Amino acid sequence: MRRYLIAANWKMHGSLEMVHKFAESFDQGVDLGAEVVVFPPVVYLGALQGLTSKYVQVGVQDVGVASAGAHTGEIAASMVKDVGGSWVIVGHSERRADQLEGDDLVAQKFAAVIAAGLSPIVCVGETLAQRKAGDAFAVVSKQLKAIIDLCGVSALAKGAIAYEPLWAIGTGLTATPEQAGQMHASIRDLVAGLDQDVASSVRIIYGGSVNPENAGLLFAQEEVDGALVGGASLQAPSFAAIVAAT
Ligand code: PGA
């Protein structure tokens, strides 16, 4: 039985004031019934962690490949672990687009996160043009294969896969529960072709305009194990409602 994983990706949003407000109203210090991780901008990691209970894990939205050294501006996965973070997002489509991160670099970041003993969430997803051309699964499987080739299929079980169709991110256009369910099932089949145990344990979460209204229907899909939530995670009440929908 896979436990739901609900992740809040704040992207480049937030302030100390928001961190306080969010923690006060979101975290009641009780088990939320799902694994919950919040990814604030990295500078707010410590503040958020200091204000939340053990039921709210924290993580960062990106990490460098190297473990230390002369890499100005980079953060090592081991440093994230050092300050109490437990998860790292790798390969978010905004970084793939804005920072030109390719599949190979994303796979190296995935490996660095695993090596530090943290859990990666790797984001995969197709553009609208790719979906219309019938290439959605080919794109997603190429993104995943880069990880599997470098890290081995069993590494997937140490983290989670976020299916985030690019056309659904921040657009208000959610994949239908069926579209999400189908892609998640295809991803699980791909993994099952390599390792049945990993396929049944790895969590495949959906991201792209998830909100309190659509979350329940998405989670009703057998293959949807949670959500990576952007916009609707910035306010504690809407994020809490999404967690409650599990
Ligand atoms: P969104 O973002 O919920 O605002 O669409 C999701 C994401 O990019 O992770």
Side-chain angles (χ1 to χ4, degrees):
M1 186 65 188
R2 296 181 294 270
R3 191 160 200 241
Y4 280 104
L5 172 64
I6 309 295
N9 175 13
W10 285 6
K11 310 189 179 185
M12 203 171 73
H13 297 288
S15 61
L16 268 185
E17 191 190 343
M18 174 189 156
V19 166
H20 280 263
K21 251 175 90 177
F22 181 92
E24 267 161 29
S25 69
F26 179 75
D27 187 18
Q28 309 302 317
V30 293
D31 190 337
L32 297 154
E35 191 167 354
V36 173
V37 195
V38 180
F39 296 89
V42 67
V43 292
Y44 298 122
L45 187 84
L48 182 67
Q49 201 195 21
L51 293 166
T52 48
S53 72
K54 64 176 180 182
Y55 297 111
V56 179
Q57 301 175 69
V58 293
V60 298
Q61 301 166 14
D62 177 49
V63 80
V65 170
S67 54
H71 304 288
T72 302
E74 291 283 76
I75 292 162
S78 57
M79 296 169 182
V80 178
K81 183 166 190 188
D82 193 28
V83 297
S86 27
W87 287 83
V88 181
I89 297 173
V90 298
H92 191 280
S93 58
E94 285 152 14
R95 294 198 61 83
R96 290 181 191 260
D98 300 348
Q99 274 74 32
L100 307 179
E101 292 192 5
D103 291 341
D104 290 345
L105 179 61
V106 171
Q108 286 172 36
K109 290 187 174 192
F110 190 99
V113 175
I114 299 271
L118 300 180
S119 302
I121 294 181
V122 57
C123 301
V124 295
E126 81 287 356
T127 63
L128 192 54
Q130 289 164 334
R131 173 161 283 266
K132 283 188 172 156
D135 292 337
F137 182 62
V139 170
V140 165
S141 48
K142 181 173 169 285
Q143 292 167 336
L144 275 178
K145 276 186 181 141
I147 309 254
I148 296 169
D149 286 350
L150 186 71
C151 307
V153 66
S154 55
L156 287 178
K158 296 182 178 157
I161 299 165
Y163 169 55
E164 298 207 308
L166 272 63
W167 46 272
I169 295 178
T171 57
L173 282 179
T174 324
T176 63
E178 293 72 27
Q179 283 171 324
Q182 272 167 16
M183 180 60 84
H184 286 220
S186 303
I187 292 172
R188 206 176 297 285
D189 280 352
L190 183 157
V191 178
L194 300 167
D195 190 311
Q196 190 60 55
D197 290 342
V198 174
S200 39
S201 66
V202 67
R203 284 173 294 184
I204 307 173
I205 64 177
Y206 169 81
S209 299
V210 176
N211 60 40
E213 286 72 48
N214 60 29
L217 284 174
L218 287 161
F219 299 155
Q221 294 286 317
E222 199 186 323
E223 298 298 339
V224 177
D225 302 316
L228 181 54
V229 187
S233 74
L234 298 173
Q235 264 94 37
S238 56
F239 188 57
I242 292 168
V243 175
T246 61

